Amino acid sequence: MNLSEGLKKVYTEELQSAGEAQRYAQIIAWGPMVFQTARIMVKWGIMELINQSDNGLTLGEIREKTDLSNYALKCLLEASLSIGIIMVDPESERFCITKAGWFLLNDQSTRVNIDMNHDVNYQGMFYLDESLKQGRPVGLKTLGDWPTLYEGLSQLPPQAKESWLNFDHFYSDEAFEEALKIVFDEHHVKKLYDVGGNTGKWALRCVGYSADAEVTILDLPQQIRMMQENTAGKQGAERIKGFPINFLDEQAAFPRQEGLDAIWMSQFLDCFSMEQIVSILKRAQVVMTADTRIFIMETLWDRQRFDTAALCLTMTSLYFTAMANGNSKMYNTEDMKHCIREAGLEIEQLYDHLGLGHTIIVARKAESTNNQK
């Protein structure tokens, strides 16, 4: 396993004392209560009240500023002390937030992850064991009756849909500015496919960045409709087209377009099993010329500089298992390289550490593949 230097430091040796390890094991055991305590403290504004106070707040002062009973506040505050998001002065009995509490309030990634896990994942995770055994998203039934989440995305309950989109966009959007420079300034792309283009957010960025950009979004029919609604009337929308396709259908071919410069796949391939990835890349390869490049932007967990990022990614794999499709995950570098090679492609360049930890893999048709034509 080719871990980044940052991950080697925490994944290859024991770092906790026995006491720390025991406490951590209990945090895991009480995980649902830990999560809900922190979420409610933020949602109900208690953390913000404490944070905005000059010297902390007492139980009585918090009660005066909320409509909560002594009982409710004591339960929440005592649990919050135990999980380390607030602390107390034993003499004045004033509560203040800790560093972890500050991140709960101010770190956007943490807030996005909390909403995603509560509104999309929480109830469905009860079925994680069944999902792992059956290879299908058994937990998805808590949101709706679809084979995969993607087929039901446009029909998700409003709060779940909002949290899912915020989660999806947050992680990709942070890398878009750097990605645009790579695609258009370094590689001079004009015509490109946006594979799995979702709401058209990347396509809009493309046509806004380059006056020459022409984008065709390839996605499920319902996603194409959602994209068209989202892009209608916006600048450059006339240079964005849609092509409906079910990527799980191995007979569904990519469209052919003369002068195709690039095939863009952002946070897309992690939505499929390795076998399905190979199938998709093979079909993409068929419509490529020697001058076409595939840009694969993924958050490969083994390339992360910090273990906090790797934690978020490996946990996201379990969302894919129980809720999304039952057979995909956040991949490591070797897995992705294997799929690329199997599809008759070869890696030309790697761009690391874009945005919040993205990597862009630039691939072309392998010489042996070109020679077969």
Side-chain angles (χ1 to χ4, degrees):
M1 186 177 293
N2 296 314
L3 299 173
S4 68
E5 290 303 314
L7 297 187
K8 283 180 184 177
K9 294 177 181 178
V10 294
Y11 286 0
T12 60
E13 59 182 284
E14 178 64 75
L15 300 176
Q16 294 179 321
S17 67
E20 290 169 338
Q22 184 184 39
R23 173 179 168 77
Y24 188 64
Q26 290 292 354
I27 289 286
I28 293 171
W30 292 97
M33 287 73 162
V34 172
F35 174 79
Q36 292 296 353
T37 296
R39 185 189 70 84
I40 292 170
M41 286 285 285
V42 172
K43 180 183 178 182
W44 287 357
I46 302 170
M47 293 293 290
E48 187 61 33
L49 283 174
I50 297 173
N51 184 48
Q52 291 299 322
S53 63
D54 292 332
N55 301 302
L57 295 174
T58 64
L59 171 64
E61 289 169 338
I62 297 172
R63 188 177 64 249
E64 289 174 1
K65 297 175 183 293
T66 68
D67 58 357
L68 298 171
S69 67
N70 260 12
Y71 169 78
L73 284 172
K74 283 183 177 180
C75 285
L76 287 171
L77 292 169
E78 290 165 6
S80 296
L81 282 172
S82 295
I83 66 176
I85 60 175
I86 64 171
M87 54 188 174
V88 66
D89 182 328
E91 294 184 2
S92 67
E93 298 187 354
R94 291 185 172 277
F95 297 96
C96 300
I97 69 166
T98 62
K99 292 176 182 177
W102 186 92
F103 277 102
L104 278 174
L105 281 174
N106 296 288
D107 180 51
Q108 191 178 356
S109 172
T110 302
R111 298 292 291 270
V112 165
N113 290 341
I114 285 176
D115 290 343
M116 173 70 169
N117 282 315
H118 180 69
D119 298 327
V120 178
N121 297 334
Y122 198 81
Q123 295 182 64
M125 280 297 137
F126 186 82
Y127 302 97
L128 176 60
D129 51 353
E130 293 182 45
S131 300
L132 287 164
K133 290 179 178 178
Q134 297 182 31
R136 65 183 185 89
V138 181
L140 182 57
K141 63 185 177 183
T142 60
L143 295 176
D145 184 22
W146 311 288
T148 70
L149 181 140
Y150 310 110
E151 289 149 290
L153 182 57
S154 61
Q155 305 167 59
L156 285 177
Q159 189 59 55
K161 182 179 178 181
E162 179 182 351
S163 293
W164 189 93
L165 289 172
N166 288 341
F167 176 84
D168 182 65
H169 291 162
F170 174 75
Y171 286 100
S172 60
D173 290 4
E174 290 292 321
F176 276 177
E177 196 61 38
E178 295 167 278
L180 288 166
K181 294 175 183 177
I182 292 169
V183 172
F184 293 102
D185 296 344
E186 292 191 34
H187 291 269
H188 311 293
V189 166
K190 292 183 179 179
K191 291 184 179 181
L192 71 153
Y193 290 163
D194 180 5
V195 182
N198 207 339
T199 61
K201 204 164 189 180
W202 164 254
L204 284 170
R205 293 291 297 272
C206 290
V207 296
Y209 190 87
S210 170
D212 296 322
E214 297 178 22
V215 184
T216 301
I217 292 178
L218 280 59
D219 214 326
L220 291 166
Q222 55 268 43
Q223 293 301 103
I224 295 294
R225 289 193 295 271
M226 192 163 69
M227 174 277 292
Q228 290 168 337
E229 292 172 4
N230 188 57
T231 59
K234 295 182 179 175
Q235 185 176 356
E238 69 279 1
R239 287 182 280 130
I240 301 174
K241 298 180 176 62
F243 182 88
I245 182 173
N246 179 3
F247 297 105
L248 294 177
D249 179 0
E250 295 191 358
Q251 303 306 311
F254 277 47
R256 291 185 179 274
Q257 185 177 114
E258 187 175 348
L260 179 66
D261 298 309
I263 299 174
W264 171 260
M265 299 178 177
S266 172
Q267 291 184 185
F268 171 73
L269 294 180
D270 55 46
C271 300
F272 300 91
S273 69
M274 290 182 66
E275 293 78 13
Q276 290 166 343
I277 291 172
V278 172
S279 169
I280 291 167
L281 290 177
K282 280 183 175 179
R283 283 176 275 157
Q285 181 255 110
V286 168
V287 302
M288 293 171 65
T289 68
D291 297 322
T292 310
R293 297 293 181 268
I294 292 184
F295 294 81
I296 299 169
M297 189 166 82
E298 288 287 346
T299 43
L300 303 168
W301 72 261
D302 62 323
R303 302 183 79 86
Q304 302 304 306
R305 287 180 288 189
F306 304 106
D307 67 302
T308 300
L311 167 70
C312 294
L313 294 174
T314 54
M315 293 301 104
T316 300
S317 290
L318 303 182
Y319 142 75
F320 284 119
T321 303
M323 305 302 298
N325 53 34
N327 60 8
S328 72
K329 65 190 294 292
M330 305 306 292
Y331 291 100
N332 63 28
T333 308
E334 287 307 310
D335 286 342
M336 197 57 66
K337 285 181 176 179
H338 171 80
C339 293
I340 291 168
R341 289 192 300 267
E342 287 294 303
L345 300 164
E346 60 186 20
I347 294 175
E348 185 175 72
Q349 281 177 284
L350 279 166
Y351 298 87
D352 271 330
H353 310 311
L354 308 178
L356 294 173
H358 285 76
T359 294
I360 289 182
I361 302 172
V362 184
R364 64 188 178 194
K365 294 185 82 162
E367 287 298 324
S368 58
T369 308
N370 279 320
N371 293 338
Q372 292 172 10
K373 301 298 180 183

